[in-house]
Structure formats: structure tokens, C-alpha cells
Amino acid sequence: MSNAQKDQLFLLINSLSKAEKRNFRLYATRNQSGKDAKFVQLFDALDKLDDFDEQAVLKKLPAVKKQHLPNLKRHLYRQILTSLRLIHIQKNIDIQIREQIDFARILYGKGMYMQSLRILDRIKQIAIEHHQDLLHLEILEFQKLIEARHVTRSRAVEHKMDVLLGESETRCTVTYYSNLLSNLNIKIHGWYIDRGHARSAAEKDEIKAFLDQHYPEHLHVTTRKETFFERVNLNQIYLWFHYINQDFLRAEEQAKQWVNQFFRNTQMQEKDPDLYMRGLYYLLVFLFINQDKKEHAYYLDQFVEYVEDADSYLNTNSRMVASFYLNLSRINHLLLNGNYKGADKLIPGIEEEIDLYQHHADRYRVLLFYYKFAWIKFALGEFDKAQDYLNEIVLVKNDVLREELYYFARVLQLLCFYENNDYDVMAYNLTSLRRSMGRSHHTDKLLQTTTSFLKKICETPESESLELFQQLGQELDKQKHKPDNQKSLIYLNTPLWVKSRIKGCTISDICETESLTVSGC
């Protein structure tokens, strides 16, 4: 890892926009002596560096000794965050509410109880309107503290105290169930990360028992209505449950309900854009897996329109989320329609955006892009370029989260070796791959059939290969309609590759001439 990636202060400064840097300098130099402050000089020095270099920083700041640099950096870090808070307070409702709670505590500390209660009453309504459940509870507990310790004459208002106590009980119940649901959401997602899809009846029974065991008791027994985040958490829980069971239609339905929660509560699209875009992305993924071109086009347009309209209030993280999810969805849409040349044209621009967010990006998402790029190049007959992208995946240390992707990349790499007539290299890699797949839970019948075919074709004269391809095509046609192989066809459409070999053309050519519905991860 480079020094730039290790130094958190440098990363923070590097992430600032021009407007944020200008605001920081105004904030830091708000008094006459501020412009000469050492932390401002440190900011300017770091801002001019392309990569973090401590020696270069010390050289630019002769008045700062090396042993004092860590303290100066910590001070600068706090000052930058404080200036950012001032900017983003108008964009983040939770920051606004917390500020008002802080004001109420200051007034309470000065003995101004009634003024404190008035602020709390006002922001309580804001917290309710924006589904800020935890902050709502914090406000209620503060109100109860004031009412319990001081004479506020609130009891003179009929039922006011009963309403406050009833609100508190309801909000405690909401918090309790919200916590259980968010925990279950994380646990069932973790199940998939650790164990992948349920491929046998016993494994499906096991994930069902797991869900039943951890599902909150009495959730639907109470008469109260679930909150926004409770409903979204429920959608995510069942989405992962159906996805683990490879029931992609039901997973799509849960993703659609997730997105519809935001359609019905439009203010939440601004207050939690990342959760909304995540829902749109998963819906588009399942529409892609289920080959629904019409619905995919509709929700992709919704996604594009939202990102364009939301530009003014998306922060850096949200812009990165938008970039990755939207670009993955755009590629999927072109692959869904067999437009490989169109998808290929997107690659340079996407690579620029990946570089832009390289210090913050989820490595798995980047590897997923590389696999898509490799599949596109493979479909266009550019096998060397496909291998360049595949090397980025297969040379990375393997882990459970990306094991499926790793095996698809390895098999696609073998197909590239075959297309380039590198039979010896293919045979060498095939042996280690088959051994590894034999120990893995993350492979299916389609992949196993493909690798068995590659082993056989290595031992067959070129003159007899056409007959083997025809036999493989017939075998794959029997398998491709089975639900357990549906995801493999999305990542690696070997039946289409076989057809291209038999016809002596590229996958892209087949899609153009026959208008096939094609998947490519």
C-alpha cells in the first residue's frame, strides 16, 4: 500500500472539492493571524502534492519539527472536518437535528428549561417527518429528563405528559425492532458472503431455519405500523434470502418493493440517496438476471434521471456510489441487448471514473468491472485485451467474497488461452483450476461441464474439435434452463461461445446477426 493510501489526512484533502478547499481557507483565516497558522501552511503544502511525501512536507515547512508534525496533522484534520460540517449541515438532516439538540443542551445548562423544551418540540417534528428514529428517541428522552427534574407547568396542558410517555414507549418499541431487523439484514448478508448460494435441499432448509431463528418475535403482532427503515430492512432481508436460494424472481420483487418505499416517501431520496441507489442497483441486477429488457430500460432511465437531478446534494461517497452502480447498470443494459460494441465504447470513460475514486472504491466492485470489460473484449474477439483485465482478478489473493467471480475469471481465461492457441498454458492452468474447484462450494454444474470439456479438447486433434463443440452445445442446452445455472449464464455464457465456435465468428457477430438475448455478467 502506498504512503498516499496510508495517510488519512492526505486522503481527506485529496477528496475535497474546489469549493470545499476555498471554504476551509476562509474558515481557517477568519481572523487576521489565521493565514499564518502552521496548520494552514500544512494544508497548502499537502494540497500541492500529487503523492504523500513526509520529507517533502517538512522541507516546505522549515518551522515545523518532525516530532511536532503528527500533532499538527491531527489538528488540521479536526479543523477540516469542522469546516466541512458547516458546509454539509444544510444537506444532512441528521446533522441539523443534532445541532439543535446541542443548542437545547446549552440552554438547559444555563437554566433556560422552557427555551430548551421549545427547541426540542420543534425538531421532534422534523425528526418524525424524516424518519430519524434514533434521534427522535434521544429528543424524547431529553424532554423526559427536563420534565422529571424541573417544574415546567407542562402538566397544566391536558394529556401532554401522557402523550409524551406514550411517544417514548412507541419509539422504544420501534428502536428495538429496528435494531433486530438491521442485525438480521447484516447476518443474512454475511451468510451469503461466507457460504454462497444454497445448492441442495438441506442447505435451503438450513437458511430457512436460520431466518426463522433470528426473525423478530411479535413483529407483526403489534398494531403499530412499521417505520420506513423497518420496511426497507425487511425488503433487504427477504431479498438476500431469495437470492441465496437462487429464486431471482422473488428477489426482484423484494428489490422492487424496496425502491417503491422511496417512491412513496420521495423526501427520503434526498435524505438517504445511497440506500435508494443501492435499491435501484439491486433491482436492475435482478431484472438483468431475469432478462427483462423493458423493465430494465425503465428503471435505468429512473436511475439516470435521479442522478442528474440529485447532483446538487450528492456528497463524494454518494457520487462514487452513483458512478459505480450506474455504470454497472449501463453495461448490463447493453449486454442484455447484445450490444457489445456499445458496451466497449463505455470502457475508457468508466476506467477514468474508477481512477478518480481509486482510494475510496470497494475493490470487489472494481474487479467486477474488470470482469465485465474482459467479457466484452472476449465477445469482440480481442482475447489478449480480455486477458489483461482477467489478470487483475486472478492475480489478486483469493477470498470468499469474490470466490465465484474468481472461478468465472479463471474459466474465461482458459477460453482466451484456447482462442489464442495457447494449449499448453491452458492445460497447465486447467489442472490447478479443476483441483481448486473440487474443494469449493462456489461452483455449479455448468462450470464443471465447461472445464471437463476443455480437458477433453486438449487431448483431441483439431480435426475432431467441431464434433466435440456440437456435443457440448447439446449438453449445455439441457442445462441452461435449470435455475441453479441461471447465474452462471449471466457471468459466463458458454452456450453462446460454443455457438460462435461452431459458426466461426465472434459472440458479438452472432448477437448482431441473430438479435439474441445475451448475458455477460
Side-chain angles (χ1 to χ4, degrees):
M1 185 178 287
S2 68
N3 289 335
Q5 288 176 297
K6 290 180 181 178
D7 192 88
Q8 299 303 307
L9 175 60
F10 182 81
L11 286 176
L12 178 59
I13 294 174
N14 193 51
S15 73
L16 299 178
S17 66
K18 290 182 179 179
E20 288 170 336
K21 290 177 182 178
R22 182 172 61 251
N23 180 79
F24 171 74
R25 289 189 174 96
L26 290 171
Y27 165 78
T29 58
R30 60 195 180 279
N31 56 59
Q32 189 64 29
S33 61
K35 61 185 178 181
D36 298 320
K38 289 181 181 179
F39 75 89
V40 178
Q41 295 174 25
L42 176 60
F43 177 87
D44 291 335
L46 290 171
D47 188 33
K48 293 173 183 176
L49 294 178
D50 294 326
D51 295 297
F52 179 73
D53 184 341
E54 186 175 284
Q55 295 304 317
V57 172
L58 292 170
K59 189 174 181 180
K60 288 186 178 183
L61 302 174
V64 178
K65 295 182 180 180
K66 184 174 182 178
Q67 62 266 33
H68 297 153
L69 185 59
N71 285 336
L72 186 59
K73 287 170 66 177
R74 278 193 291 270
H75 179 62
L76 174 57
Y77 196 89
R78 286 196 300 270
Q79 293 296 320
I80 293 173
L81 291 178
T82 302
S83 71
L84 288 174
R85 188 179 189 276
L86 294 173
I87 296 176
H88 292 284
I89 193 168
Q90 297 304 317
K91 299 180 180 180
N92 297 87
I93 192 65
D94 52 337
I95 297 178
Q96 293 179 41
I97 294 172
R98 287 193 185 95
E99 182 186 55
Q100 293 298 312
I101 294 174
D102 291 343
F103 290 163
R105 290 193 184 280
I106 291 169
L107 290 171
Y108 174 76
K110 288 186 168 293
M112 305 173 76
Y113 315 130
M114 300 307 296
Q115 292 93 323
S116 180
L117 284 173
R118 278 196 288 271
I119 289 179
L120 294 173
D121 268 332
R122 185 179 71 251
I123 59 171
K124 181 168 66 177
Q125 296 306 313
I126 297 173
I128 293 170
E129 291 168 8
H130 293 88
H131 305 282
Q132 297 295 317
D133 298 329
L134 289 175
L135 290 174
H136 185 188
L137 180 60
E138 183 178 347
I139 292 165
L140 289 169
E141 291 304 305
F142 193 9
Q143 286 181 307
K144 285 165 58 181
L145 181 148
I146 297 174
E147 296 288 0
R149 297 184 182 181
H150 307 282
V151 179
T152 62
R153 294 183 291 279
S154 294
R155 295 184 184 276
V157 179
E158 188 175 5
H159 302 307
K160 183 171 182 178
M161 292 307 299
D162 293 334
V163 169
L164 175 61
L165 298 177
E167 267 190 285
S168 178
E169 289 179 5
T170 300
R171 197 51 45 186
C172 284
T173 302
V174 167
T175 303
Y176 171 73
Y177 282 116
S178 294
N179 178 59
L180 293 179
L181 289 172
S182 63
N183 287 351
L184 179 53
N185 181 20
I186 293 170
K187 286 177 182 177
I188 200 165
H189 185 199
W191 173 290
Y192 171 70
I193 291 173
D194 291 338
R195 305 179 61 168
H197 293 291
R199 301 187 184 277
S200 66
E203 289 175 343
K204 291 181 179 181
D205 289 342
E206 196 174 348
I207 183 60
K208 179 64 167 63
F210 176 86
L211 179 63
D212 292 341
Q213 177 187 349
H214 293 90
Y215 195 85
E217 292 186 62
H218 312 302
L219 176 63
H220 301 298
V221 176
T222 59
T223 56
R224 71 177 185 84
K225 184 180 178 182
E226 287 98 350
T227 65
F228 173 84
F229 286 109
E230 284 179 294
R231 293 192 296 272
V232 172
N233 268 316
L234 279 168
N235 294 144
Q236 292 180 79
I237 289 165
Y238 282 107
L239 180 152
W240 285 112
F241 174 74
H242 294 311
Y243 181 60
I244 290 169
N245 285 315
Q246 300 186 85
D247 188 343
F248 301 118
L249 285 173
R250 289 186 177 179
E252 175 193 318
E253 180 57 34
Q254 290 299 322
K256 194 171 289 186
Q257 290 183 32
W258 175 354
V259 170
N260 286 339
Q261 304 291 352
F262 282 90
F263 286 171
R264 289 191 291 269
N265 298 269
T266 53
Q267 80 277 12
M268 295 305 295
Q269 295 179 20
E270 180 177 349
K271 302 309 174 187
D272 199 340
D274 294 5
L275 185 60
Y276 176 50
M277 291 188 289
R278 184 176 171 85
L280 278 170
Y281 170 69
Y282 279 116
L283 175 55
L284 287 164
V285 166
F286 292 122
L287 290 168
F288 176 59
I289 292 174
N290 294 324
Q291 302 285 282
D292 193 331
K293 293 183 181 181
K294 184 178 178 181
E295 286 281 282
H296 196 280
Y298 171 77
Y299 283 102
L300 179 58
D301 287 342
Q302 293 285 319
F303 201 167
V304 172
E305 183 180 343
Y306 170 74
V307 172
E308 290 174 350
D309 293 343
D311 184 71
S312 62
Y313 57 78
L314 293 182
N315 58 30
T316 301
N317 186 69
S318 297
R319 291 177 194 278
M320 180 183 68
V321 169
S323 170
F324 279 43
Y325 283 165
L326 192 53
N327 281 324
L328 285 167
S329 301
R330 281 170 170 155
I331 289 177
N332 284 347
H333 185 68
L334 292 169
L335 297 181
L336 184 60
N337 290 278
N339 186 357
Y340 284 92
K341 291 179 179 177
D344 188 47
K345 291 178 182 177
L346 293 180
I347 292 177
I350 294 174
E351 288 183 314
E352 289 181 6
E353 293 190 40
I354 291 174
D355 288 340
L356 180 64
Y357 297 112
Q358 61 178 314
H359 295 310
H360 314 284
D362 175 1
R363 183 62 180 165
Y364 176 76
R365 298 288 176 204
V366 175
L367 295 177
L368 185 55
F369 272 119
Y370 289 155
Y371 185 86
K372 288 180 181 290
F373 297 163
W375 174 254
I376 292 165
K377 295 297 185 182
F378 180 81
L380 292 169
E382 300 177 21
F383 307 117
D384 289 336
K385 291 182 179 178
Q387 287 196 64
D388 289 340
Y389 288 116
L390 292 170
N391 285 336
E392 296 288 340
I393 303 171
V394 300
L395 295 178
V396 172
K397 184 179 180 182
N398 193 23
D399 56 63
V400 175
L401 178 62
R402 49 173 292 282
E403 191 171 340
E404 267 189 327
L405 183 62
Y406 172 79
Y407 284 123
F408 286 122
R410 287 289 304 273
V411 174
L412 183 56
Q413 187 182 52
L414 293 177
L415 301 186
C416 289
F417 290 144
Y418 181 81
E419 292 287 359
N420 283 333
N421 301 320
D422 293 331
Y423 302 125
D424 291 340
V425 178
M426 182 181 78
Y428 175 80
N429 282 272
L430 181 59
T431 301
S432 65
L433 176 59
R434 283 167 61 84
R435 189 183 304 118
S436 176
M437 286 174 59
R439 299 190 298 265
S440 173
H441 178 77
H442 294 268
T443 57
D444 57 25
K445 183 67 175 175
L446 207 67
L447 277 184
Q448 293 165 4
T449 299
T450 303
T451 54
S452 296
F453 165 79
L454 292 174
K455 183 178 185 298
K456 187 183 297 184
I457 206 166
C458 282
E459 304 165 350
T460 304
E462 179 67 25
S463 59
E464 301 175 19
S465 64
L466 179 59
E467 183 179 351
L468 284 180
F469 272 105
Q470 290 171 340
Q471 292 173 4
L472 176 63
Q474 293 171 2
E475 176 64 23
L476 292 176
D477 282 341
K478 296 176 184 177
Q479 295 183 20
K480 68 181 184 181
H481 299 296
K482 296 180 180 179
D484 288 353
N485 294 326
Q486 192 172 353
K487 189 177 178 182
S488 287
L489 288 171
I490 296 302
Y491 275 83
L492 189 66
N493 198 325
T494 45
L496 191 59
W497 172 66
V498 171
K499 190 167 189 175
S500 73
R501 289 294 305 184
I502 293 172
K503 293 201 169 189
C505 62
T506 67
I507 291 173
S508 178
D509 290 337
I510 289 180
C511 296
E512 287 183 358
T513 56
E514 300 186 14
S515 301
L516 293 177
T517 300
V518 183
S519 309
C521 185

